[in-house]
Amino acid sequence: MIYETNSAKETHELGKRIGSNAKKGQIYTLEGDLGVGKTVFTQGVADGLGIKEPISSPTFTIIQEYQEGRLPFYHFDVYRIGDVEEMEEIGYDDYFFGDGICLIEWANLIEEILPENVITVKIEKDLEKGFDYRKITIEGMEQE
């Protein structure tokens, strides 16, 4: 599925729709360059789950846990992971196979430990279509 958004608000709303329909055990990988809108999309997912606390990228903590929504939400940023063993140290499988949903930024760095059925979200800019334009490709999710 390919979506096109033309503002941060539209990107947030798409994330919110994803979060509203998210099911226990789903793992989303989030790809995109710095500044492309990954955090805005993630804030939308959290909003769709009913999470009210502020959402920020867990760049220095690897994982942020949010328990207050209709499902637990585990937001990973594995950009600073040096080795997959670091994921084992934080007990990633408890999150991946737990009662919530996971959203993983920079998941390509830990591909070898990802389950087969992940949902891939790729956000891309195209400045020829405008500064706020985003092409968001979602693969691995059933049509809603």
Side-chain angles (χ1 to χ4, degrees):
M1 296 181 293
I2 296 176
Y3 300 90
E4 295 180 302
T5 64
N6 291 291
S7 68
K9 184 176 191 290
E10 288 180 14
T11 300
H12 182 276
E13 286 300 312
L14 177 59
K16 185 175 180 179
R17 274 204 328 261
I18 299 294
S20 295
N21 294 309
K23 297 172 183 68
K24 171 183 150 181
Q26 287 181 322
I27 298 174
Y28 297 83
T29 62
L30 189 52
E31 302 173 17
D33 294 333
L34 291 172
V36 80
K38 294 186 301 288
T39 300
V40 170
F41 180 85
T42 301
Q43 290 167 338
V45 172
D47 199 11
L49 289 167
I51 296 167
K52 300 299 178 211
E53 66 184 282
I55 305 295
S56 59
S57 188
T59 302
F60 296 101
T61 58
I62 301 175
I63 182 168
Q64 292 279 12
E65 296 182 45
Y66 304 93
Q67 300 287 337
E68 70 179 32
R70 66 176 182 82
L71 292 170
F73 180 42
Y74 308 117
H75 180 200
F76 290 84
D77 182 333
V78 298
Y79 184 75
R80 298 195 186 288
I81 287 284
D83 191 299
V84 173
E85 288 177 11
E86 290 179 55
M87 291 296 290
E88 291 172 5
E89 289 171 15
I90 63 169
Y92 76 89
D93 46 352
D94 291 338
Y95 299 104
F96 286 12
F97 305 106
D99 291 332
I101 71 162
C102 295
L103 190 145
I104 308 166
E105 296 186 40
W106 305 100
N108 58 306
L109 300 174
I110 60 165
E111 279 179 331
E112 62 265 33
I113 63 170
L114 292 174
E116 282 185 31
N117 299 326
V118 300
I119 298 165
T120 303
V121 178
K122 184 175 185 179
I123 305 176
E124 300 169 281
K125 288 182 184 182
D126 183 345
L127 294 177
E128 290 182 11
K129 294 187 177 186
F131 181 77
D132 291 322
Y133 171 86
R134 299 295 185 265
K135 176 182 169 188
I136 302 172
T137 306
I138 301 176
E139 297 176 351
M141 188 167 64
E142 314 87 40
Q143 292 279 1
E144 303 276 333

